[in-house]
Amino acid sequence: MSQPPAPSPRPFAAVILVGGRSSRMGTDKAALDWGGMRAVDRVARTARNLGAAHVLTAGGDYGLDFIADAEAYGGPVGGVMAALKALARMDLSRALVLAVDAPTATLADLRALVEAPAPGALFEGFPLPMMIDLAAAPLDAPSGWPLMRLAEAACLLRLPCPPGAQVRLRGANTEEERRALLAAADAPSYGAAPNRVQ
């Protein structure tokens, strides 16, 4: 007897965190060129290719739908919470939270998060990316909380990091890290179509 098909992942939105100071990079990380695209556009493309029903940025306007941080430079949790409240008004119940400084993350890197059951998940050792159900999120969480505290409060599952994904998920906070990620993205082992639906 054949196995029943796996259930389709529940609809989700993507939230791209762009509100940091970019002090170590020395320039706006969201607007940096990554292989002919701004980092924010590359992350948005990946989110759409994963099936995001809506994509918005938290912390800055880059031509996509956006929500301002509750407190400028108050920390990433403030951006996450502002975005989750906006998504609740759109009747979306889960969000894939992505860092703008990790634009080389592939569909394969992120698929396990999209497929994670409620209340959501993140990878062991990484505060981002994370999938979070709005119903599990403590919407009164202070902006200054670390992302890992938010994950713990929401009881997110901890998944093993996909093989080889660590450097892509860690992203780039300096120009040297950015150059290394771009070089790796151009290498044949990276994959011919990292952000194409497979």
Side-chain angles (χ1 to χ4, degrees), residues 91-170:
D91 292 327
L92 289 163
S93 63
R94 56 193 323 237
L96 178 64
V97 183
L98 300 163
V100 77
D101 58 11
T104 62
T106 67
L107 299 179
D109 294 341
L110 301 170
R111 192 161 316 277
L113 297 180
V114 173
E115 295 171 353
L122 72 168
F123 294 121
E124 191 66 49
F126 290 89
L128 291 176
M130 73 168 64
M131 179 67 81
I132 186 166
D133 282 27
L134 274 63
L139 296 181
D140 59 347
S143 295
W145 268 15
L147 284 164
M148 284 298 200
R149 185 165 178 190
L150 173 64
E152 290 165 5
C155 300
L156 300 186
L157 305 171
R158 305 276 180 111
L159 303 179
C161 190
Q166 291 88 346
V167 70
R168 292 187 296 272
L169 296 179
R170 193 170 298 115

